[in-house]
Amino acid sequence: MLKLFRDLKPYTVSIFWVVVFLFIQSMAELYLPTLMSDVVNNGMMKGDTGYIWTYGSYMLIVALGSSICSIIGSYLSSIIGMGFGRDMRDKVFSHVESYSLNEFDKIGTASLITRTTNDITQVQTLLVMGMRFMVNAPIMCIGGIIMAFSRDRELTLIFTVVLPILLAFIATIASIIVPLFRSIQVKLDTVNLVLRENLTGIRVIRAFDRQNSEYERFKEANLDLTETTIKVNKIMAAMQPFMIIIMNLTSIAIIWFGGLRISQNNMQIGDMMAFLQYAMQIMFSIIMVTIMYVMVPRAQAS
């Protein structure tokens, strides 16, 4: 699949700016909890209204800058993805036109239709989403851990329990769904093949009164595709509740142990609030990676 991305050379400048804007967005989002911690510790706890207004204004400016960078990055990544899809469809169409009749028969028209439509769309979607998540997620995860460590070293031990559980769960799910997504692509080809044969041979089918048998043939292929797709969606649907449960349990653990450290004067309230936000950023970055695990196998099969 990586060979396809050689065709991204015309978009090198745009990709560079996507990375720059998403990097700035990630840095801004990582800085916001620190500003909030300062507002709580030095403003709210001391009753300094001027400090709250000043640093609250900084938070608004940083949040606005983050939103602008996110919008620009999304816009540029969409342009790159759509342009890449257009180029791929053009190349596939030109290449298919050079096939001999024997090659057409060997590959099959239904399969070629799937390649030029559904398959390229899957790769195109991965590219658009991947440029955002693959830049944003690692920065948010690593940066969040570093910033959380700077707030309180002992509380970061919670991550040594949570992160391995999440990563093991994601790896297990990926090992199950990758073969299923490949199977879906094959079964989608079969459905297209049966449908095309019915459309092109409709006169022959009617002449020999084979409508019922062809209907059963299509129904069988369609049901096979449906059952496999439902199975994949059930597996993916089970991921979300599990991730949310882990996030909530992590929040409870941080508040519980953070509260104990505050009562012992080893931690400030603002630092605990910032730590909690960094934990959520780390969790969301892992969820982003999980979404990519859903998209990559299907695009890889395509």
Side-chain angles (χ1 to χ4, degrees):
M1 187 173 69
L2 294 176
K3 292 179 181 180
L4 292 176
F5 295 140
R6 294 173 184 171
D7 294 295
L8 287 172
K9 288 182 180 179
Y11 307 100
T12 304
V13 175
S14 297
I15 292 173
F16 170 78
W17 284 112
V18 168
V19 174
V20 169
F21 282 115
L22 292 179
F23 179 81
I24 295 172
Q25 177 203 348
S26 301
M27 291 295 102
E29 290 182 4
L30 286 170
Y31 188 47
L32 280 173
T34 299
L35 286 173
M36 182 198 66
S37 175
D38 292 338
V39 169
V40 173
N41 292 335
N42 303 322
M44 292 174 63
M45 300 304 294
K46 296 179 180 179
D48 189 344
T49 307
Y51 192 94
I52 294 172
W53 277 106
T54 301
Y55 278 80
S57 301
Y58 292 159
M59 287 182 70
L60 287 173
I61 292 170
V62 172
L64 180 63
S66 174
S67 300
I68 292 171
C69 289
S70 177
I71 292 168
I72 296 173
S74 299
Y75 177 73
L76 290 175
S77 62
S78 297
I79 290 176
I80 295 168
M82 295 304 109
F84 176 80
R86 176 200 61 208
D87 296 344
M88 284 298 98
R89 279 189 291 272
D90 183 62
K91 288 190 174 185
V92 170
F93 184 80
S94 300
H95 184 68
V96 168
E97 282 192 318
S98 66
Y99 281 176
S100 65
L101 293 176
N102 182 48
E103 287 171 320
F104 264 113
D105 293 337
K106 186 183 296 184
I107 298 172
T109 307
S111 182
L112 292 174
I113 292 171
T114 306
R115 302 292 159 264
T116 53
T117 53
N118 179 72
D119 284 357
I120 291 177
T121 300
Q122 294 296 335
V123 177
Q124 178 180 289
T125 303
L126 173 68
L127 181 61
V128 174
M129 303 298 290
M131 278 191 293
R132 296 195 61 203
F133 290 167
M134 288 305 184
V135 174
N136 193 266
I139 295 173
M140 294 298 291
C141 185
I142 297 170
I145 292 172
I146 293 170
M147 296 300 289
F149 185 80
S150 69
R151 295 287 104 183
D152 193 284
R153 296 182 180 182
E154 292 189 15
L155 271 185
T156 51
L157 292 175
I158 293 173
F159 296 138
T160 61
V161 177
V162 175
L163 294 182
I165 293 173
L166 282 176
L167 294 175
F169 177 72
I170 292 170
T172 303
I173 293 295
S175 66
I176 296 172
I177 64 173
V178 169
L180 289 175
F181 274 125
R182 289 175 181 161
S183 175
I184 285 173
Q185 294 303 115
V186 175
K187 292 173 182 180
L188 184 62
D189 270 357
T190 305
V191 171
N192 286 337
L193 174 65
V194 175
L195 179 62
R196 181 183 173 276
E197 287 178 350
N198 273 268
L199 292 174
T200 54
I202 187 67
R203 292 183 179 179
V204 178
I205 292 169
R206 287 179 177 176
F208 288 91
D209 194 23
R210 303 290 296 174
Q211 291 96 322
N212 290 334
S213 62
E214 288 299 319
Y215 171 76
E216 290 299 325
R217 184 166 165 244
F218 178 79
K219 183 180 178 181
E220 182 181 347
N222 191 27
L223 185 62
D224 191 21
L225 174 62
T226 302
E227 288 176 347
T228 306
T229 306
I230 289 174
K231 185 177 180 180
V232 171
N233 287 331
K234 282 182 178 178
I235 294 171
M236 300 313 304
M239 289 183 66
Q240 180 118 7
F242 181 82
M243 300 290 284
I244 292 172
I245 289 170
I246 293 295
M247 287 177 64
N248 290 336
L249 290 175
T250 304
S251 299
I252 292 169
I254 291 169
I255 294 170
W256 176 268
F257 292 109
L260 292 176
R261 290 184 60 75
I262 290 170
S263 66
Q264 297 167 359
N265 293 322
N266 293 325
M267 190 179 191
Q268 292 183 298
I269 294 175
D271 290 338
M272 189 194 75
M273 294 173 66
F275 191 96
L276 188 60
Q277 287 210 10
Y278 285 127
M280 292 303 101
Q281 288 178 344
I282 294 167
M283 296 292 118
F284 276 118
S285 66
I286 293 175
I287 289 175
M288 290 181 191
V289 174
T290 306
I291 294 171
M292 292 307 299
Y293 263 110
V294 176
M295 300 176 67
V296 168
R298 190 159 190 180
Q300 192 173 19
S302 296

